Amino acid sequence: MTFEEFVSARLGALVRYATVVTWDPHLAEDITQNVLVRAQARWARISRMDAPELYVKRMVVNEFLSWRRRRAAQSIPLATDTLAGHLPEAPDPSVQRDERDAMLRLIATLPPRQRAVIALRFYEDLAVDQIAEVLGCRTVTVRTHLMRALAALQNALPAPLVPTGEKP
């Protein structure tokens, strides 16, 4: 498969994947573009691999994580309360998507590696050993990130309502 054929067949999926990992569609496009520029220069080697798309997805994750490190060195964090005082709250016009939107927002608060593990596990439906291969780490590290991410999400979700008189 030539590089042009790969890009024409998989560009949309790569941008969607990058969007899930970054939680920012504009950043996802930038990262995908940077990765494809680098992949084109190495395409002769990448195309000979068993799973070139998996390699390119790993490049996307690595680019996102390195972008976060570069960005952290340049940004000045502001507390959410500080921003909330200056910005009006915009209600979500799509009531049917409230739960999905809330979950995506919770996922966005996770650290980058945990977010990447969640995206690979539940969006890409990869097994733990495949995630470890994509991230270049051990499976126990992936399981730890997954456990911590799921615990953080579970703790952030509101407790289910229990009718009076019933034990939880």
Side-chain angles (χ1 to χ4, degrees):
M1 176 183 287
T2 67
F3 179 75
E4 291 77 17
E5 291 170 340
F6 174 79
V7 170
S8 66
R10 301 306 303 156
L11 179 62
L14 286 172
V15 171
R16 284 190 301 276
Y17 172 72
T19 302
V20 169
V21 171
T22 64
W23 182 242
D24 180 348
H26 304 292
L27 176 61
E29 290 174 356
D30 291 344
I31 285 176
T32 304
Q33 181 178 356
N34 292 344
V35 164
L36 290 176
V37 167
R38 287 193 347 253
Q40 183 180 22
R42 302 176 186 140
W43 189 250
R45 183 176 57 86
I46 294 171
S47 66
R48 290 191 303 263
M49 295 179 171
D50 292 336
E53 183 175 1
L54 189 59
Y55 184 84
V56 173
K57 286 181 178 181
R58 181 176 181 173
M59 290 175 71
V60 168
V61 171
N62 289 343
E63 179 71 15
F64 167 66
L65 294 174
S66 67
W67 177 87
R68 296 279 300 186
R69 285 189 291 273
R70 286 190 306 266
R71 182 72 178 160
Q74 298 171 356
S75 69
I76 300 170
L78 290 176
T80 305
D81 299 339
T82 305
L83 293 175
H86 298 288
L87 299 173
E89 283 194 37
D92 186 5
S94 177
V95 177
Q96 296 175 353
R97 297 184 182 213
D98 280 347
E99 286 182 8
R100 181 177 184 272
D101 184 56
M103 182 56 71
L104 290 174
R105 289 179 189 276
L106 287 174
I107 291 170
T109 65
L110 293 173
R113 285 226 178 246
Q114 289 180 11
R115 191 177 334 149
V117 168
I118 290 290
L120 291 169
R121 179 69 183 105
F122 297 105
Y123 179 76
E124 287 293 315
D125 199 28
L126 296 181
V128 171
D129 57 333
Q130 293 172 314
I131 296 170
E133 186 179 323
V134 169
L135 294 179
C137 63
R138 298 178 343 170
T139 56
V140 69
T141 305
V142 171
R143 285 194 301 267
T144 301
H145 284 309
L146 186 58
M147 178 194 66
R148 289 179 180 165
L150 292 175
L153 292 174
Q154 188 175 25
N155 289 336
L157 290 174
L161 297 176
V162 178
T164 56
E166 290 186 29
K167 293 183 181 180

mmCIF file of all heavy atoms in Angstrom, residues 109-158:
data_model
loop_
_atom_site.group_PDB
_atom_site.id
_atom_site.type_symbol
_atom_site.label_atom_id
_atom_site.label_comp_id
_atom_site.label_asym_id
_atom_site.label_seq_id
_atom_site.Cartn_x
_atom_site.Cartn_y
_atom_site.Cartn_z
ATOM 1 N N THR A 109 -10.631 15.191 32.019
ATOM 2 C CA THR A 109 -9.902 15.611 33.223
ATOM 3 C C THR A 109 -8.816 14.619 33.623
ATOM 4 O O THR A 109 -7.999 14.931 34.486
ATOM 5 C CB THR A 109 -10.863 15.791 34.422
ATOM 6 O OG1 THR A 109 -11.436 14.523 34.753
ATOM 7 C CG2 THR A 109 -11.949 16.799 34.104
ATOM 8 N N LEU A 110 -8.821 13.448 33.011
ATOM 9 C CA LEU A 110 -7.811 12.441 33.350
ATOM 10 C C LEU A 110 -6.436 12.864 32.843
ATOM 11 O O LEU A 110 -6.337 13.598 31.856
ATOM 12 C CB LEU A 110 -8.177 11.094 32.705
ATOM 13 C CG LEU A 110 -9.432 10.400 33.219
ATOM 14 C CD1 LEU A 110 -9.737 9.172 32.365
ATOM 15 C CD2 LEU A 110 -9.306 10.031 34.678
ATOM 16 N N PRO A 111 -5.381 12.391 33.473
ATOM 17 C CA PRO A 111 -4.039 12.644 32.961
ATOM 18 C C PRO A 111 -3.892 12.050 31.550
ATOM 19 O O PRO A 111 -4.590 11.095 31.200
ATOM 20 C CB PRO A 111 -3.119 11.922 33.956
ATOM 21 C CG PRO A 111 -3.926 11.794 35.200
ATOM 22 C CD PRO A 111 -5.358 11.681 34.758
ATOM 23 N N PRO A 112 -2.995 12.594 30.741
ATOM 24 C CA PRO A 112 -2.878 12.173 29.340
ATOM 25 C C PRO A 112 -2.693 10.661 29.130
ATOM 26 O O PRO A 112 -3.326 10.078 28.261
ATOM 27 C CB PRO A 112 -1.667 12.945 28.830
ATOM 28 C CG PRO A 112 -1.578 14.133 29.713
ATOM 29 C CD PRO A 112 -2.100 13.704 31.045
ATOM 30 N N ARG A 113 -1.842 10.021 29.905
ATOM 31 C CA ARG A 113 -1.613 8.575 29.720
ATOM 32 C C ARG A 113 -2.872 7.780 30.054
ATOM 33 O O ARG A 113 -3.204 6.827 29.347
ATOM 34 C CB ARG A 113 -0.449 8.095 30.569
ATOM 35 C CG ARG A 113 0.869 8.514 29.984
ATOM 36 C CD ARG A 113 1.820 7.344 29.998
ATOM 37 N NE ARG A 113 3.072 7.731 29.394
ATOM 38 C CZ ARG A 113 3.518 7.225 28.265
ATOM 39 N NH1 ARG A 113 2.840 6.313 27.636
ATOM 40 N NH2 ARG A 113 4.660 7.625 27.763
ATOM 41 N N GLN A 114 -3.575 8.161 31.131
ATOM 42 C CA GLN A 114 -4.803 7.459 31.485
ATOM 43 C C GLN A 114 -5.856 7.670 30.402
ATOM 44 O O GLN A 114 -6.584 6.752 30.038
ATOM 45 C CB GLN A 114 -5.326 7.938 32.833
ATOM 46 C CG GLN A 114 -4.487 7.480 33.996
ATOM 47 C CD GLN A 114 -5.018 7.966 35.331
ATOM 48 O OE1 GLN A 114 -6.131 8.482 35.425
ATOM 49 N NE2 GLN A 114 -4.214 7.808 36.380
ATOM 50 N N ARG A 115 -5.918 8.889 29.871
ATOM 51 C CA ARG A 115 -6.876 9.181 28.800
ATOM 52 C C ARG A 115 -6.551 8.355 27.559
ATOM 53 O O ARG A 115 -7.442 7.820 26.904
ATOM 54 C CB ARG A 115 -6.834 10.673 28.463
ATOM 55 C CG ARG A 115 -7.966 11.088 27.579
ATOM 56 C CD ARG A 115 -7.989 12.560 27.292
ATOM 57 N NE ARG A 115 -7.366 13.359 28.313
ATOM 58 C CZ ARG A 115 -6.738 14.507 28.055
ATOM 59 N NH1 ARG A 115 -6.659 14.961 26.832
ATOM 60 N NH2 ARG A 115 -6.192 15.204 29.026
ATOM 61 N N ALA A 116 -5.263 8.230 27.254
ATOM 62 C CA ALA A 116 -4.849 7.428 26.096
ATOM 63 C C ALA A 116 -5.229 5.963 26.305
ATOM 64 O O ALA A 116 -5.731 5.312 25.380
ATOM 65 C CB ALA A 116 -3.345 7.570 25.871
ATOM 66 N N VAL A 117 -5.040 5.441 27.513
ATOM 67 C CA VAL A 117 -5.398 4.044 27.801
ATOM 68 C C VAL A 117 -6.909 3.850 27.665
ATOM 69 O O VAL A 117 -7.367 2.869 27.072
ATOM 70 C CB VAL A 117 -4.892 3.630 29.203
ATOM 71 C CG1 VAL A 117 -5.510 2.307 29.634
ATOM 72 C CG2 VAL A 117 -3.381 3.525 29.211
ATOM 73 N N ILE A 118 -7.685 4.781 28.195
ATOM 74 C CA ILE A 118 -9.151 4.692 28.081
ATOM 75 C C ILE A 118 -9.565 4.716 26.606
ATOM 76 O O ILE A 118 -10.410 3.927 26.174
ATOM 77 C CB ILE A 118 -9.837 5.844 28.862
ATOM 78 C CG1 ILE A 118 -9.668 5.643 30.374
ATOM 79 C CG2 ILE A 118 -11.305 5.984 28.496
ATOM 80 C CD1 ILE A 118 -10.456 4.497 30.960
ATOM 81 N N ALA A 119 -8.964 5.596 25.827
ATOM 82 C CA ALA A 119 -9.307 5.693 24.399
ATOM 83 C C ALA A 119 -8.945 4.406 23.672
ATOM 84 O O ALA A 119 -9.737 3.893 22.868
ATOM 85 C CB ALA A 119 -8.586 6.882 23.764
ATOM 86 N N LEU A 120 -7.766 3.883 23.950
ATOM 87 C CA LEU A 120 -7.348 2.659 23.274
ATOM 88 C C LEU A 120 -8.199 1.464 23.711
ATOM 89 O O LEU A 120 -8.529 0.601 22.896
ATOM 90 C CB LEU A 120 -5.869 2.381 23.565
ATOM 91 C CG LEU A 120 -4.893 3.365 22.923
ATOM 92 C CD1 LEU A 120 -3.498 3.169 23.498
ATOM 93 C CD2 LEU A 120 -4.886 3.217 21.421
ATOM 94 N N ARG A 121 -8.563 1.406 24.974
ATOM 95 C CA ARG A 121 -9.315 0.253 25.477
ATOM 96 C C ARG A 121 -10.768 0.283 25.026
ATOM 97 O O ARG A 121 -11.312 -0.708 24.562
ATOM 98 C CB ARG A 121 -9.252 0.225 27.016
ATOM 99 C CG ARG A 121 -10.014 -0.921 27.631
ATOM 100 C CD ARG A 121 -9.330 -2.266 27.326
ATOM 101 N NE ARG A 121 -10.098 -3.360 27.847
ATOM 102 C CZ ARG A 121 -10.826 -4.176 27.099
ATOM 103 N NH1 ARG A 121 -10.847 -4.029 25.790
ATOM 104 N NH2 ARG A 121 -11.508 -5.152 27.642
ATOM 105 N N PHE A 122 -11.426 1.438 25.167
ATOM 106 C CA PHE A 122 -12.860 1.476 24.933
ATOM 107 C C PHE A 122 -13.256 2.059 23.574
ATOM 108 O O PHE A 122 -14.332 1.747 23.072
ATOM 109 C CB PHE A 122 -13.561 2.230 26.071
ATOM 110 C CG PHE A 122 -13.390 1.535 27.393
ATOM 111 C CD1 PHE A 122 -12.516 2.027 28.339
ATOM 112 C CD2 PHE A 122 -14.079 0.377 27.669
ATOM 113 C CE1 PHE A 122 -12.334 1.379 29.553
ATOM 114 C CE2 PHE A 122 -13.905 -0.284 28.870
ATOM 115 C CZ PHE A 122 -13.029 0.222 29.815
ATOM 116 N N TYR A 123 -12.421 2.897 22.977
ATOM 117 C CA TYR A 123 -12.744 3.431 21.649
ATOM 118 C C TYR A 123 -12.180 2.513 20.577
ATOM 119 O O TYR A 123 -12.869 2.146 19.640
ATOM 120 C CB TYR A 123 -12.191 4.855 21.498
ATOM 121 C CG TYR A 123 -12.480 5.460 20.143
ATOM 122 C CD1 TYR A 123 -13.755 5.927 19.837
ATOM 123 C CD2 TYR A 123 -11.498 5.565 19.178
ATOM 124 C CE1 TYR A 123 -14.030 6.466 18.602
ATOM 125 C CE2 TYR A 123 -11.762 6.102 17.941
ATOM 126 C CZ TYR A 123 -13.030 6.560 17.653
ATOM 127 O OH TYR A 123 -13.294 7.083 16.425
ATOM 128 N N GLU A 124 -10.919 2.125 20.750
ATOM 129 C CA GLU A 124 -10.277 1.252 19.777
ATOM 130 C C GLU A 124 -10.527 -0.230 20.077
ATOM 131 O O GLU A 124 -10.227 -1.079 19.258
ATOM 132 C CB GLU A 124 -8.766 1.507 19.752
ATOM 133 C CG GLU A 124 -8.391 2.805 19.085
ATOM 134 C CD GLU A 124 -8.696 2.801 17.601
ATOM 135 O OE1 GLU A 124 -8.383 1.808 16.913
ATOM 136 O OE2 GLU A 124 -9.245 3.804 17.117
ATOM 137 N N ASP A 125 -11.039 -0.545 21.274
ATOM 138 C CA ASP A 125 -11.339 -1.911 21.695
ATOM 139 C C ASP A 125 -10.107 -2.816 21.628
ATOM 140 O O ASP A 125 -10.172 -3.953 21.190
ATOM 141 C CB ASP A 125 -12.490 -2.490 20.869
ATOM 142 C CG ASP A 125 -13.132 -3.691 21.548
ATOM 143 O OD1 ASP A 125 -13.089 -3.755 22.794
ATOM 144 O OD2 ASP A 125 -13.666 -4.564 20.844
ATOM 145 N N LEU A 126 -8.974 -2.264 22.083
ATOM 146 C CA LEU A 126 -7.742 -3.037 22.103
ATOM 147 C C LEU A 126 -7.601 -3.766 23.432
ATOM 148 O O LEU A 126 -8.070 -3.300 24.464
ATOM 149 C CB LEU A 126 -6.526 -2.125 21.907
ATOM 150 C CG LEU A 126 -6.406 -1.396 20.576
ATOM 151 C CD1 LEU A 126 -5.142 -0.553 20.555
ATOM 152 C CD2 LEU A 126 -6.408 -2.367 19.411
ATOM 153 N N ALA A 127 -6.928 -4.902 23.397
ATOM 154 C CA ALA A 127 -6.625 -5.649 24.610
ATOM 155 C C ALA A 127 -5.478 -4.956 25.347
ATOM 156 O O ALA A 127 -4.751 -4.135 24.764
ATOM 157 C CB ALA A 127 -6.242 -7.078 24.261
ATOM 158 N N VAL A 128 -5.292 -5.304 26.608
ATOM 159 C CA VAL A 128 -4.270 -4.665 27.437
ATOM 160 C C VAL A 128 -2.883 -4.844 26.829
ATOM 161 O O VAL A 128 -2.088 -3.901 26.791
ATOM 162 C CB VAL A 128 -4.331 -5.215 28.883
ATOM 163 C CG1 VAL A 128 -3.156 -4.747 29.705
ATOM 164 C CG2 VAL A 128 -5.635 -4.804 29.541
ATOM 165 N N ASP A 129 -2.579 -6.037 26.321
ATOM 166 C CA ASP A 129 -1.253 -6.255 25.738
ATOM 167 C C ASP A 129 -1.054 -5.437 24.463
ATOM 168 O O ASP A 129 0.051 -4.965 24.184
ATOM 169 C CB ASP A 129 -0.989 -7.742 25.496
ATOM 170 C CG ASP A 129 -2.037 -8.397 24.609
ATOM 171 O OD1 ASP A 129 -3.177 -7.921 24.578
ATOM 172 O OD2 ASP A 129 -1.700 -9.414 23.960
ATOM 173 N N GLN A 130 -2.116 -5.229 23.694
ATOM 174 C CA GLN A 130 -2.014 -4.389 22.496
ATOM 175 C C GLN A 130 -1.808 -2.925 22.887
ATOM 176 O O GLN A 130 -1.048 -2.209 22.237
ATOM 177 C CB GLN A 130 -3.275 -4.522 21.644
ATOM 178 C CG GLN A 130 -3.447 -5.888 21.021
ATOM 179 C CD GLN A 130 -4.805 -6.032 20.360
ATOM 180 O OE1 GLN A 130 -5.836 -5.671 20.932
ATOM 181 N NE2 GLN A 130 -4.808 -6.548 19.139
ATOM 182 N N ILE A 131 -2.481 -2.486 23.940
ATOM 183 C CA ILE A 131 -2.318 -1.112 24.421
ATOM 184 C C ILE A 131 -0.882 -0.912 24.884
ATOM 185 O O ILE A 131 -0.263 0.122 24.592
ATOM 186 C CB ILE A 131 -3.314 -0.804 25.553
ATOM 187 C CG1 ILE A 131 -4.754 -0.878 25.036
ATOM 188 C CG2 ILE A 131 -3.036 0.574 26.154
ATOM 189 C CD1 ILE A 131 -5.804 -0.822 26.128
ATOM 190 N N ALA A 132 -0.338 -1.894 25.594
ATOM 191 C CA ALA A 132 1.048 -1.808 26.059
ATOM 192 C C ALA A 132 1.996 -1.671 24.879
ATOM 193 O O ALA A 132 2.960 -0.891 24.929
ATOM 194 C CB ALA A 132 1.403 -3.035 26.896
ATOM 195 N N GLU A 133 1.708 -2.394 23.807
ATOM 196 C CA GLU A 133 2.552 -2.300 22.608
ATOM 197 C C GLU A 133 2.459 -0.914 21.977
ATOM 198 O O GLU A 133 3.467 -0.327 21.592
ATOM 199 C CB GLU A 133 2.123 -3.368 21.607
ATOM 200 C CG GLU A 133 3.011 -3.459 20.392
ATOM 201 C CD GLU A 133 2.559 -4.551 19.442
ATOM 202 O OE1 GLU A 133 2.097 -5.614 19.913
ATOM 203 O OE2 GLU A 133 2.663 -4.330 18.228
ATOM 204 N N VAL A 134 1.241 -0.373 21.901
ATOM 205 C CA VAL A 134 1.055 0.960 21.309
ATOM 206 C C VAL A 134 1.762 2.028 22.139
ATOM 207 O O VAL A 134 2.418 2.917 21.597
ATOM 208 C CB VAL A 134 -0.455 1.297 21.179
ATOM 209 C CG1 VAL A 134 -0.654 2.752 20.825
ATOM 210 C CG2 VAL A 134 -1.101 0.415 20.128
ATOM 211 N N LEU A 135 1.637 1.938 23.464
ATOM 212 C CA LEU A 135 2.228 2.950 24.335
ATOM 213 C C LEU A 135 3.701 2.692 24.642
ATOM 214 O O LEU A 135 4.373 3.546 25.222
ATOM 215 C CB LEU A 135 1.449 3.038 25.650
ATOM 216 C CG LEU A 135 0.017 3.536 25.542
ATOM 217 C CD1 LEU A 135 -0.644 3.540 26.903
ATOM 218 C CD2 LEU A 135 -0.031 4.914 24.920
ATOM 219 N N GLY A 136 4.189 1.515 24.291
ATOM 220 C CA GLY A 136 5.587 1.199 24.546
ATOM 221 C C GLY A 136 5.890 1.016 26.021
ATOM 222 O O GLY A 136 6.899 1.502 26.521
ATOM 223 N N CYS A 137 4.984 0.332 26.726
ATOM 224 C CA CYS A 137 5.187 0.097 28.154
ATOM 225 C C CYS A 137 4.756 -1.326 28.491
ATOM 226 O O CYS A 137 4.309 -2.066 27.620
ATOM 227 C CB CYS A 137 4.419 1.118 28.991
ATOM 228 S SG CYS A 137 2.632 1.039 28.788
ATOM 229 N N ARG A 138 4.885 -1.701 29.751
ATOM 230 C CA ARG A 138 4.512 -3.045 30.179
ATOM 231 C C ARG A 138 3.007 -3.143 30.399
ATOM 232 O O ARG A 138 2.339 -2.131 30.635
ATOM 233 C CB ARG A 138 5.246 -3.401 31.475
ATOM 234 C CG ARG A 138 6.745 -3.415 31.283
ATOM 235 C CD ARG A 138 7.513 -3.721 32.524
ATOM 236 N NE ARG A 138 6.735 -3.572 33.755
ATOM 237 C CZ ARG A 138 7.143 -3.972 34.937
ATOM 238 N NH1 ARG A 138 8.310 -4.526 35.070
ATOM 239 N NH2 ARG A 138 6.389 -3.794 36.010
ATOM 240 N N THR A 139 2.497 -4.373 30.339
ATOM 241 C CA THR A 139 1.053 -4.567 30.518
ATOM 242 C C THR A 139 0.607 -4.183 31.928
ATOM 243 O O THR A 139 -0.498 -3.682 32.098
ATOM 244 C CB THR A 139 0.637 -6.028 30.230
ATOM 245 O OG1 THR A 139 1.393 -6.889 31.066
ATOM 246 C CG2 THR A 139 0.852 -6.377 28.782
ATOM 247 N N VAL A 140 1.461 -4.385 32.919
ATOM 248 C CA VAL A 140 1.089 -4.015 34.288
ATOM 249 C C VAL A 140 0.915 -2.497 34.399
ATOM 250 O O VAL A 140 0.034 -2.018 35.129
ATOM 251 C CB VAL A 140 2.116 -4.557 35.319
ATOM 252 C CG1 VAL A 140 3.445 -3.854 35.210
ATOM 253 C CG2 VAL A 140 1.554 -4.444 36.722
ATOM 254 N N THR A 141 1.699 -1.741 33.644
ATOM 255 C CA THR A 141 1.556 -0.286 33.631
ATOM 256 C C THR A 141 0.215 0.106 33.013
ATOM 257 O O THR A 141 -0.473 0.993 33.524
ATOM 258 C CB THR A 141 2.715 0.357 32.849
ATOM 259 O OG1 THR A 141 3.944 -0.090 33.411
ATOM 260 C CG2 THR A 141 2.641 1.864 32.879
ATOM 261 N N VAL A 142 -0.160 -0.575 31.937
ATOM 262 C CA VAL A 142 -1.455 -0.297 31.298
ATOM 263 C C VAL A 142 -2.590 -0.627 32.260
ATOM 264 O O VAL A 142 -3.530 0.158 32.407
ATOM 265 C CB VAL A 142 -1.599 -1.096 29.985
ATOM 266 C CG1 VAL A 142 -3.015 -0.976 29.434
ATOM 267 C CG2 VAL A 142 -0.593 -0.621 28.964
ATOM 268 N N ARG A 143 -2.502 -1.766 32.923
ATOM 269 C CA ARG A 143 -3.560 -2.137 33.877
ATOM 270 C C ARG A 143 -3.651 -1.119 35.013
ATOM 271 O O ARG A 143 -4.747 -0.775 35.464
ATOM 272 C CB ARG A 143 -3.306 -3.538 34.428
ATOM 273 C CG ARG A 143 -3.640 -4.643 33.440
ATOM 274 C CD ARG A 143 -3.706 -6.012 34.095
ATOM 275 N NE ARG A 143 -2.479 -6.406 34.751
ATOM 276 C CZ ARG A 143 -1.510 -7.115 34.191
ATOM 277 N NH1 ARG A 143 -1.635 -7.498 32.938
ATOM 278 N NH2 ARG A 143 -0.430 -7.433 34.869
ATOM 279 N N THR A 144 -2.514 -0.619 35.471
ATOM 280 C CA THR A 144 -2.513 0.384 36.533
ATOM 281 C C THR A 144 -3.177 1.670 36.057
ATOM 282 O O THR A 144 -4.024 2.244 36.758
ATOM 283 C CB THR A 144 -1.070 0.669 37.001
ATOM 284 O OG1 THR A 144 -0.500 -0.548 37.478
ATOM 285 C CG2 THR A 144 -1.040 1.721 38.092
ATOM 286 N N HIS A 145 -2.804 2.134 34.852
ATOM 287 C CA HIS A 145 -3.431 3.344 34.298
ATOM 288 C C HIS A 145 -4.936 3.136 34.133
ATOM 289 O O HIS A 145 -5.731 4.028 34.452
ATOM 290 C CB HIS A 145 -2.816 3.722 32.959
ATOM 291 C CG HIS A 145 -1.471 4.358 33.055
ATOM 292 N ND1 HIS A 145 -1.205 5.429 33.868
ATOM 293 C CD2 HIS A 145 -0.312 4.081 32.421
ATOM 294 C CE1 HIS A 145 0.054 5.786 33.741
ATOM 295 N NE2 HIS A 145 0.624 4.969 32.870
ATOM 296 N N LEU A 146 -5.324 1.962 33.637
ATOM 297 C CA LEU A 146 -6.737 1.672 33.418
ATOM 298 C C LEU A 146 -7.492 1.639 34.747
ATOM 299 O O LEU A 146 -8.562 2.241 34.874
ATOM 300 C CB LEU A 146 -6.890 0.338 32.680
ATOM 301 C CG LEU A 146 -8.287 -0.058 32.246
ATOM 302 C CD1 LEU A 146 -8.899 0.998 31.330
ATOM 303 C CD2 LEU A 146 -8.241 -1.406 31.542
ATOM 304 N N MET A 147 -6.913 0.981 35.750
ATOM 305 C CA MET A 147 -7.556 0.900 37.061
ATOM 306 C C MET A 147 -7.712 2.288 37.672
ATOM 307 O O MET A 147 -8.771 2.648 38.186
ATOM 308 C CB MET A 147 -6.726 0.013 37.992
ATOM 309 C CG MET A 147 -7.285 -0.108 39.396
ATOM 310 S SD MET A 147 -6.123 -0.811 40.564
ATOM 311 C CE MET A 147 -4.868 0.456 40.617
ATOM 312 N N ARG A 148 -6.666 3.097 37.619
ATOM 313 C CA ARG A 148 -6.730 4.437 38.201
ATOM 314 C C ARG A 148 -7.711 5.327 37.445
ATOM 315 O O ARG A 148 -8.432 6.122 38.053
ATOM 316 C CB ARG A 148 -5.344 5.069 38.221
ATOM 317 C CG ARG A 148 -4.436 4.420 39.244
ATOM 318 C CD ARG A 148 -3.071 5.024 39.254
ATOM 319 N NE ARG A 148 -2.226 4.370 40.256
ATOM 320 C CZ ARG A 148 -0.930 4.484 40.309
ATOM 321 N NH1 ARG A 148 -0.282 5.246 39.427
ATOM 322 N NH2 ARG A 148 -0.241 3.845 41.233
ATOM 323 N N ALA A 149 -7.731 5.208 36.125
ATOM 324 C CA ALA A 149 -8.663 6.016 35.335
ATOM 325 C C ALA A 149 -10.107 5.642 35.654
ATOM 326 O O ALA A 149 -10.946 6.521 35.862
ATOM 327 C CB ALA A 149 -8.383 5.838 33.848
ATOM 328 N N LEU A 150 -10.388 4.347 35.691
ATOM 329 C CA LEU A 150 -11.755 3.915 35.997
ATOM 330 C C LEU A 150 -12.161 4.294 37.413
ATOM 331 O O LEU A 150 -13.305 4.690 37.652
ATOM 332 C CB LEU A 150 -11.890 2.405 35.774
ATOM 333 C CG LEU A 150 -11.789 1.949 34.320
ATOM 334 C CD1 LEU A 150 -11.815 0.430 34.230
ATOM 335 C CD2 LEU A 150 -12.879 2.569 33.466
ATOM 336 N N ALA A 151 -11.223 4.210 38.364
ATOM 337 C CA ALA A 151 -11.525 4.616 39.738
ATOM 338 C C ALA A 151 -11.813 6.113 39.803
ATOM 339 O O ALA A 151 -12.752 6.543 40.489
ATOM 340 C CB ALA A 151 -10.368 4.250 40.661
ATOM 341 N N ALA A 152 -11.025 6.903 39.098
ATOM 342 C CA ALA A 152 -11.247 8.351 39.088
ATOM 343 C C ALA A 152 -12.599 8.685 38.467
ATOM 344 O O ALA A 152 -13.329 9.550 38.971
ATOM 345 C CB ALA A 152 -10.126 9.050 38.327
ATOM 346 N N LEU A 153 -12.952 8.007 37.386
ATOM 347 C CA LEU A 153 -14.244 8.252 36.743
ATOM 348 C C LEU A 153 -15.385 7.821 37.662
ATOM 349 O O LEU A 153 -16.388 8.524 37.787
ATOM 350 C CB LEU A 153 -14.322 7.508 35.407
ATOM 351 C CG LEU A 153 -13.386 8.014 34.315
ATOM 352 C CD1 LEU A 153 -13.448 7.113 33.100
ATOM 353 C CD2 LEU A 153 -13.705 9.448 33.936
ATOM 354 N N GLN A 154 -15.229 6.677 38.317
ATOM 355 C CA GLN A 154 -16.276 6.193 39.217
ATOM 356 C C GLN A 154 -16.462 7.136 40.401
ATOM 357 O O GLN A 154 -17.585 7.421 40.806
ATOM 358 C CB GLN A 154 -15.935 4.796 39.711
ATOM 359 C CG GLN A 154 -17.056 4.147 40.482
ATOM 360 C CD GLN A 154 -16.725 2.707 40.846
ATOM 361 O OE1 GLN A 154 -15.562 2.339 40.947
ATOM 362 N NE2 GLN A 154 -17.751 1.903 41.029
ATOM 363 N N ASN A 155 -15.363 7.651 40.946
ATOM 364 C CA ASN A 155 -15.458 8.587 42.070
ATOM 365 C C ASN A 155 -16.062 9.921 41.649
ATOM 366 O O ASN A 155 -16.679 10.601 42.464
ATOM 367 C CB ASN A 155 -14.087 8.814 42.696
ATOM 368 C CG ASN A 155 -13.597 7.597 43.448
ATOM 369 O OD1 ASN A 155 -14.383 6.767 43.877
ATOM 370 N ND2 ASN A 155 -12.291 7.487 43.591
ATOM 371 N N ALA A 156 -15.879 10.301 40.402
ATOM 372 C CA ALA A 156 -16.405 11.577 39.925
ATOM 373 C C ALA A 156 -17.887 11.510 39.577
ATOM 374 O O ALA A 156 -18.561 12.543 39.549
ATOM 375 C CB ALA A 156 -15.610 12.043 38.705
ATOM 376 N N LEU A 157 -18.386 10.311 39.321
ATOM 377 C CA LEU A 157 -19.804 10.171 38.991
ATOM 378 C C LEU A 157 -20.650 10.341 40.244
ATOM 379 O O LEU A 157 -20.257 9.911 41.324
ATOM 380 C CB LEU A 157 -20.072 8.794 38.373
ATOM 381 C CG LEU A 157 -19.506 8.571 36.984
ATOM 382 C CD1 LEU A 157 -19.722 7.120 36.562
ATOM 383 C CD2 LEU A 157 -20.146 9.504 35.980
ATOM 384 N N PRO A 158 -21.825 10.941 40.110
ATOM 385 C CA PRO A 158 -22.696 11.079 41.277
ATOM 386 C C PRO A 158 -23.185 9.708 41.728
ATOM 387 O O PRO A 158 -23.363 8.802 40.933
ATOM 388 C CB PRO A 158 -23.851 11.948 40.768
ATOM 389 C CG PRO A 158 -23.820 11.823 39.293
ATOM 390 C CD PRO A 158 -22.398 11.515 38.913
#
